[in-house]
Amino acid sequence: MAAVKRAYLAVYNWAVFFGWAQVLYFAVEALLRSGHEDVYAAVERPLQLAQTAAVLEILHGLVGLVRSPVSATLPQIGSRLFVTWGILWSFPETRTHILVSSLVISWSITEIIRYSFFGTKELFGSAPSSLLWLRYSSFLVMYPTGISSEVGLIYIALQFIKASEKYCIRMPNKWNYSFDYFYASILVLLVYVPGSPHMYTYMLGQRKKALAKSKTA
């Protein structure tokens, strides 16, 4: 059973690794070829597939396939899915902004390192010290640039959300329920205020433990 688990996790990690590698390649190619306005069009499908595949990581944590706490995984994946589908896919007006380039590059570099690290561990039982260092150090730069891009794109989208009233449910209706996507998006932005420093502090703690452990191994 343990061998099946390791084989599955190895396949999963390397499959998603190649998805993010494709995203990074297409993003850089579009950026160099025609500028940031064309980055989203170049990466849309592989970005959606690679990011949505991360939903499985929540399930992995719930069923005990991995040790990562769902309390840490769920907010990060949830916020990314919101930006991927709830902002970029839903509001095309945001897609040509330069923040899309910084978002995609930050996400893809982070995930290429992360998935290759876990994929290597599942295949060989351990990962090279250089890859371990990258896994627990790259976020020092990539997390702030990624989070800043997420927040910026949500903020930019607010005007289009309000004007379109997309996903809003107005009263009266048979459910006697109303929902305003504009205010829901503002709430998401507010969650970033305490959430981002908390997650960054959590990752700093994980980095300290992982690097200390590698020195004593």
Side-chain angles (χ1 to χ4, degrees):
M1 191 65 180
V4 174
K5 170 188 166 183
R6 286 186 63 180
Y8 164 74
L9 289 174
V11 170
Y12 168 77
N13 281 292
W14 284 113
V16 185
F17 163 83
F18 284 114
W20 281 110
Q22 191 177 34
V23 171
L24 182 61
Y25 173 79
F26 288 151
V28 172
E29 183 187 45
L31 199 57
L32 295 176
R33 183 185 68 248
S34 51
H36 68 267
E37 295 88 350
D38 293 328
V39 168
Y40 181 81
V43 305
E44 181 177 32
R45 185 55 59 86
L47 172 66
Q48 290 169 348
L49 289 173
Q51 190 53 68
T52 305
V55 171
L56 288 173
E57 293 182 37
I58 300 171
L59 297 177
H60 295 164
L62 287 172
V63 301
L65 275 179
V66 296
R67 290 181 294 178
S68 301
V70 176
S71 59
T73 307
L74 183 60
Q76 190 169 16
I77 293 174
S79 64
R80 285 188 173 197
L81 288 173
F82 177 73
V83 173
T84 301
W85 294 102
I87 299 298
L88 293 174
W89 183 75
S90 299
F91 299 95
E93 301 92 338
T94 62
R95 298 176 185 175
T96 56
H97 199 279
I98 194 169
L99 285 177
V100 174
S101 299
S102 58
L103 176 88
V104 168
I105 291 172
S106 297
W107 281 4
S108 56
I109 290 174
T110 298
E111 301 299 37
I112 284 169
I113 294 169
R114 188 167 71 91
Y115 284 110
S116 62
F117 172 76
F118 287 116
T120 302
K121 279 190 72 175
E122 295 300 338
L123 274 179
F124 305 109
S126 63
S129 57
S130 57
L131 190 53
L132 182 142
W133 185 88
L134 281 172
R135 163 70 181 95
Y136 289 102
S137 301
S138 59
F139 80 89
L140 294 169
V141 175
M142 295 303 157
Y143 187 78
T145 56
I147 284 290
S148 300
S149 301
E150 291 175 35
V151 170
L153 286 168
I154 297 170
Y155 179 78
I156 289 162
L158 288 177
Q159 59 182 309
F160 307 116
I161 295 171
K162 189 171 186 178
S164 69
E165 294 204 344
K166 184 179 276 189
Y167 306 137
C168 292
I169 301 172
R170 300 302 184 197
M171 296 277 282
N173 57 65
K174 64 181 181 180
W175 300 287
N176 198 32
Y177 167 79
S178 65
F179 174 76
D180 195 309
Y181 196 64
F182 174 75
Y183 290 110
S185 299
I186 291 176
L187 181 60
V188 171
L189 277 177
L190 292 175
V191 171
Y192 274 91
V193 177
S196 301
H198 173 76
M199 184 61 69
Y200 197 73
T201 302
Y202 169 78
M203 291 189 292
L204 284 172
Q206 293 296 103
R207 178 180 189 270
K208 184 177 180 180
K209 286 193 290 185
L211 295 184
K213 187 178 178 181
S214 69
K215 288 178 182 178
T216 58

